Amino acid sequence: MNNDINIEEIMDEIRQNIKDRGYDKEPVSFEQIEIHSSVLKIGTGYDSDEFMNELEFLDSNCTTSFHVPIAGGNPLSVFIKKVIRKMTRFIVAPLVDSQNAYNVSNVKCMNQVSEFISEMEQYKTRIEQLEKELKELKKND
């Protein structure tokens, strides 16, 4: 079994794919990029169950840790990774902290959106009830 990777062959295949799709003639616009339907659902309307599932996911996954366990089996590899981590900590740790603060802020905003949606649903129910009562009153006149 040959495990050699022929990069030039792969690049030729990519170049041919670009030519076949016509991307080499003019710049690609955002609308031309294929996005799988499960990733982006445009125009499907509001789904409260999906919103709540996503909000729960955000709540439980909004922070990440700089201290991910290092595994590797090879003690030398683990040691090198630990040294690299210590050498880059001054760069990476502030970025992780900043990203975590941003994520927490977004989760707080989404929780506020959730509360707003809940209030709007209550108003909608109340409006429907009042419209029904108004219709009954008009009917009895």
Side-chain angles (χ1 to χ4, degrees):
M1 178 182 245
N2 187 0
N3 289 335
D4 292 339
I5 298 173
N6 187 338
I7 294 176
E8 199 53 46
E9 186 179 301
I10 294 170
M11 290 304 297
D12 287 341
E13 188 177 321
I14 291 171
R15 287 183 193 104
Q16 186 60 45
N17 193 351
I18 289 170
K19 285 181 184 176
D20 291 346
R21 293 182 182 190
Y23 295 155
D24 61 333
K25 295 179 180 89
E26 60 183 64
V28 179
S29 69
F30 183 74
E31 291 80 20
Q32 290 173 303
I33 299 172
E34 294 178 19
I35 300 174
H36 194 273
S37 62
S38 66
V39 174
L40 186 59
K41 296 179 181 177
I42 297 176
T44 59
Y46 172 71
D47 182 341
S48 63
D49 292 333
E50 184 175 349
F51 179 79
M52 292 311 293
N53 287 338
E54 294 298 330
L55 189 56
E56 286 177 25
F57 176 82
L58 289 175
D59 281 336
S60 61
N61 295 290
C62 67
T63 59
T64 188
S65 176
F66 177 73
H67 300 287
V68 178
I70 296 176
N74 181 350
L76 180 60
S77 174
V78 171
F79 174 75
I80 291 171
K81 289 176 183 178
K82 285 182 179 180
V83 169
I84 291 171
R85 177 188 285 179
K86 286 187 180 192
M87 291 172 60
T88 61
R89 180 181 177 84
F90 75 97
I91 295 171
V92 177
L95 294 173
V96 170
D97 291 342
S98 178
Q99 184 65 52
N100 284 339
Y102 176 80
N103 293 349
V104 167
S105 179
N106 275 308
V107 169
K108 287 179 180 179
C109 286
M110 291 308 296
N111 281 320
Q112 288 297 308
V113 169
S114 176
E115 291 297 321
F116 180 76
I117 289 171
S118 179
E119 284 182 26
M120 291 303 106
E121 287 174 345
Q122 291 173 6
Y123 289 137
K124 181 181 176 186
T125 302
R126 181 68 178 137
I127 288 170
E128 288 170 352
Q129 179 186 4
L130 290 171
E131 285 176 342
K132 186 177 178 182
E133 289 177 14
L134 182 61
K135 199 179 269 185
E136 287 294 320
L137 285 172
K138 284 184 177 181
K139 193 185 284 185
N140 290 337
D141 276 346

